[in-house]
Amino acid sequence: AAMAPRIPSTRLALHHFDTSYSLHLGALWPSVRAGLLCEQKYGALLNNFAAADHVPQELELLNATDFISEAPQKAQQWQQGAAAGEAARGCQGRTVMQAEMMTQAKTSPLLSASVSSKIKCYTFPRGDITRFRPARLDALGLLDYYLMDAASLLPVLALNVQPDDFVLDLCAAPGGKTLALLQTGFCGHLAANDVSVSRTKRLYQILHSYVPKEVRDTVSVTSYDGRDWDQVKGGTFHKVLVDVPCTTDRHSAMEEDNNIFHKSRTKERQMLPMLQLQLLMAGILAAKPGGEVVYSTCSLSPLQNECVVE
């Protein structure tokens, strides 16, 4: 056993993805695979609490743009292009998927949320691998922006927080989505929970680096097992974000450290859909009648997404 060749966890992950995702995504998989293996591009989430009015102009001079404010315009252009294509091909050429995508583009809560929200996140254009400078402190000692995967903002936008909403971030650490929720300026109270005490410490650090004390006082940070949340405070939240632990596909394909495809974590990986289901049920029970719950992962796996929701 000591002399047997050790297969890297990243290779095991990629083999798993090639086997399962190629069936799920078909012809799309090669380009998605290339995207997973590319160096990660970050977005710069502006900190509305910092005195940094110059930052948008600075980023725009570097050719970065706020992808959230551009989203409605791009969606409208896409809809017009799709409509023109439909007219050219005739309605009989439309597939069910095309029809569903057009309907989602017209009614997506992401678009309405992006218009009403104060969230701004700058990204560089496709093909531009410019790196953002490190965040800087303002006169109040708050950092001017937070670097994160821009796609991580989509669950926050989908939650569509309204003024004075009580919001629960059930699996909050390390804290990027929690910070984004606060950027809306709408949270009447925000409960940020994560079962990991060490990751919760990172969440505290982010709050202290980006958020003034009077706003931090509206946030309660806890380290309960999210599956038991309904026993703590059930049926009290207008909006609940359930961003569950998952295979974290990019990390699994790129990083050996803390990789869930390590052979010692096989059972943990196999049990993920059950854990995700339990967390989603707890999130539903935490919501008020008529409240809204967003379930999200950073995995392409249908077992961790559609199957859990179904």
Side-chain angles (χ1 to χ4, degrees):
M3 298 177 64
R6 177 176 173 272
I7 301 175
S9 303
T10 49
R11 191 188 301 176
L12 290 173
L14 199 55
H15 174 72
H16 174 81
F17 297 156
D18 282 333
T19 303
S20 57
Y21 293 170
S22 59
L23 294 175
H24 177 54
L25 296 173
L28 291 173
W29 171 236
S31 61
V32 174
R33 186 184 196 272
L36 276 180
L37 296 176
C38 284
E39 182 178 355
Q40 188 168 1
K41 283 182 65 173
Y42 289 96
L45 173 68
L46 295 194
N47 185 11
N48 294 327
F49 303 115
D53 295 340
H54 63 284
V55 174
Q57 184 178 5
E58 175 191 334
L59 296 178
E60 287 163 10
L61 287 173
L62 296 174
N63 203 31
T65 56
D66 174 21
F67 87 92
I68 299 173
S69 64
E70 288 185 341
Q73 180 182 358
K74 288 186 175 181
Q76 186 175 16
Q77 292 171 351
W78 183 85
Q79 289 170 19
Q80 290 170 347
E86 288 301 319
R89 291 191 298 272
C91 289
Q92 291 181 342
R94 179 187 296 175
T95 65
V96 173
M97 181 176 292
Q98 286 170 330
E100 288 177 348
M101 288 172 68
M102 288 177 70
T103 302
Q104 289 168 4
K106 292 173 183 174
T107 62
S108 171
L110 295 182
L111 302 183
S112 61
S114 67
V115 172
S116 63
S117 157
K118 298 176 183 177
I119 297 177
K120 293 186 180 299
C121 184
Y122 280 80
T123 57
F124 290 109
R126 178 179 294 183
D128 185 340
I129 58 172
T130 304
R131 289 175 176 266
F132 289 101
R133 62 160 173 80
R136 294 173 183 158
L137 294 172
D138 72 349
L140 303 173
L142 299 176
L143 293 170
D144 53 5
Y145 58 60
Y146 179 77
L147 296 180
M148 65 188 301
D149 188 328
S152 295
L153 286 175
L154 299 181
V156 174
L157 295 175
L159 202 59
N160 197 19
V161 178
Q162 298 300 304
D164 299 322
D165 273 352
F166 275 46
V167 182
L168 169 62
D169 188 353
L170 191 61
C171 308
K177 294 181 182 69
T178 303
L179 179 61
L181 286 165
L182 290 173
Q183 297 302 313
T184 66
F186 288 160
C187 297
H189 176 74
L190 175 59
N193 178 74
D194 199 277
V195 67
S196 169
V197 175
S198 61
R199 283 164 57 89
T200 303
K201 289 180 181 177
R202 170 64 178 154
L203 173 58
Y204 272 115
Q205 291 172 353
I206 288 177
L207 291 175
H208 279 80
S209 298
Y210 288 89
V211 182
K213 184 180 185 305
E214 61 270 19
V215 179
R216 291 201 306 269
D217 288 343
T218 69
V219 182
S220 59
V221 179
T222 55
S223 294
Y224 297 114
D225 186 329
R227 293 172 290 185
D228 302 327
W229 183 268
D230 63 300
Q231 300 174 25
V232 180
K233 199 180 292 185
T236 56
F237 293 93
H238 300 97
K239 303 290 172 65
V240 181
L241 176 59
V242 187
D243 185 61
V244 294
C246 64
T247 48
T248 320
D249 293 354
R250 180 192 289 277
H251 178 88
S252 295
M254 297 286 282
E255 302 286 343
E256 283 298 311
D257 183 45
N258 199 31
N259 194 311
I260 199 166
F261 280 86
H262 191 280
K263 289 192 174 182
S264 65
R265 301 182 71 184
T266 300
K267 187 68 174 177
E268 178 187 352
R269 189 177 74 249
Q270 291 172 342
M271 293 301 292
L272 271 176
M274 180 56 69
L275 170 63
Q276 292 160 344
L277 175 61
Q278 291 169 332
L279 287 167
L280 176 55
M281 290 299 298
I284 292 170
L285 292 172
K288 286 176 175 285
E292 297 179 39
V293 178
V294 168
Y295 171 86
S296 61
T297 77
C298 42
S299 170
L300 296 166
S301 166
L303 284 175
Q304 299 176 61
N305 290 291
E306 298 95 316
C307 292
V308 171
V309 174
E310 288 170 4

